[in-house]
Amino acid sequence: MKIVLAQPRGFCAGVIRAVETVELALEQFGAPVYVRHEIVHNQHVVQDLRDKGALFVEELDEIPRSAVTIFSAHGVGKDVEDQARHQGLQVLDATCPLVSKVHNQGRQYAARGYQVILIGEPDHPEVIGTLGQIPAPVVVIRTEAQVAALTFAQDTSLAYITQTTLSVDDTHSLVEMLKRRYPKIIGPDTRDICYAVQNRQTAVRELCRKVDVVLVIGSPKSANSVTLRDIAEEAGTPSYLIADGGSVRRGWFDDKSSIGITAGASTPEAMVEDVLDTLKRIFPLEIENLPGREEHVHFRLPDGLIARQ
């Protein structure tokens, strides 16, 4: 069986920063450290950090006063930041800098008097955090039907921002529809969608041109992993979203001669190796790497941490 590995795949700079934040906090302050929400959407990453002494909670009320507390890569609202200060928590903010950029964009638009429209999944932690960072009403949309249902007058000052982990194509189509309905609307270029998301989406499209079936390794909670699976399906290539090698099913590969493998931005490379080990037990493998964009982005650690030497 021919295996083609997408490039790039797996961990992005924001996830590396978030995971390293928890690991360094455990090294420098000792266990336990508390993490609000899953640090990233991957059960293997979360369990590994839990085994090292991290305690994951959904609400700050679950955290003892003055404890070391980490905000996840998805970001939080101002109310969460205020509550953390009130409880005297020692906060390390692992919010991805690209998510923080969206927060800043939204606040700036609101301060200039624009009605802000946020393109994103309303229940996603990143969107919830972004809504909590903008001190003004924000309308969340995700579909063309929701764009069509907007009732703003043509002279309304409108601006849009986007969740970082959406499909570039989907976002572009919604932005273009907004511009047709409201020609004066302003907003960032769709290239402001996370660079890592764009790179992985480009790679999976190329992968689909070379293989019979695609495996996307990631969590169903991970928006960017789900999007990779959807892109492959839309390209006409059977695609499966799996957590690890234990999710692989032999019947997926009947009459297939090649498998493409990619991984979401919160998926460790160890899970790619786990899937390859499973496939090796099914049939001999011929593995090749798909040429693709190399990533050299590095984000500074949150204040309060000392980087490893």
Side-chain angles (χ1 to χ4, degrees), residues 96 98-99 102 119 126 162-166 192-195 197-198:
C96 175
L98 299 181
V99 174
V102 174
I119 301 172
E126 180 187 331
T162 68
Q163 179 182 335
T164 62
T165 52
L166 298 180
D192 272 10
I193 290 177
C194 169
Y195 78 93
V197 167
Q198 293 188 68

Side-chain angles (χ1 to χ4, degrees), residues 13 48 111 153 155 158 173 250 285:
D48 179 63
D155 60 353
L158 297 175
S173 67
R250 174 67 180 85
L285 303 183

Side-chain angles (χ1 to χ4, degrees), residues 98-112 116 134 159-162 187-189 192:
L98 299 181
V99 174
S100 296
K101 180 181 179 181
V102 174
H103 294 172
N104 290 331
Q105 289 169 337
R107 285 194 295 264
Q108 289 169 9
Y109 288 139
R112 291 161 56 191
V116 178
I134 301 173
Y160 66 84
I161 54 177
T162 68
D189 193 290
D192 272 10

Side-chain angles (χ1 to χ4, degrees), residues 75-88:
V76 299
K78 288 288 187 183
D79 60 330
V80 177
E81 295 175 346
D82 292 343
Q83 183 182 351
R85 280 192 293 271
H86 180 72
Q87 289 183 218

Side-chain angles (χ1 to χ4, degrees), residues 37-56:
H37 192 66
E38 294 182 347
I39 188 70
V40 295
H41 281 154
N42 186 278
Q43 63 184 14
H44 294 286
V45 173
V46 170
Q47 187 57 52
D48 179 63
L49 295 173
R50 188 177 281 124
D51 292 342
K52 293 176 180 178
L55 296 178
F56 292 86

Side-chain angles (χ1 to χ4, degrees), residues 81-156:
E81 295 175 346
D82 292 343
Q83 183 182 351
R85 280 192 293 271
H86 180 72
Q87 289 183 218
L89 301 178
Q90 185 175 346
V91 172
L92 300 169
D93 189 354
T95 301
C96 175
L98 299 181
V99 174
S100 296
K101 180 181 179 181
V102 174
H103 294 172
N104 290 331
Q105 289 169 337
R107 285 194 295 264
Q108 289 169 9
Y109 288 139
R112 291 161 56 191
Y114 286 92
Q115 165 64 58
V116 178
I117 297 172
L118 171 54
I119 301 172
E121 301 285 354
D123 296 328
H124 193 279
E126 180 187 331
V127 170
I128 294 170
T130 300
L131 292 174
Q133 285 287 337
I134 301 173
V138 177
V139 174
V140 180
I141 61 169
R142 184 64 184 90
T143 66
E144 292 186 355
Q146 290 172 324
V147 176
L150 294 174
T151 58
F152 298 116
Q154 283 297 314
D155 60 353
T156 305

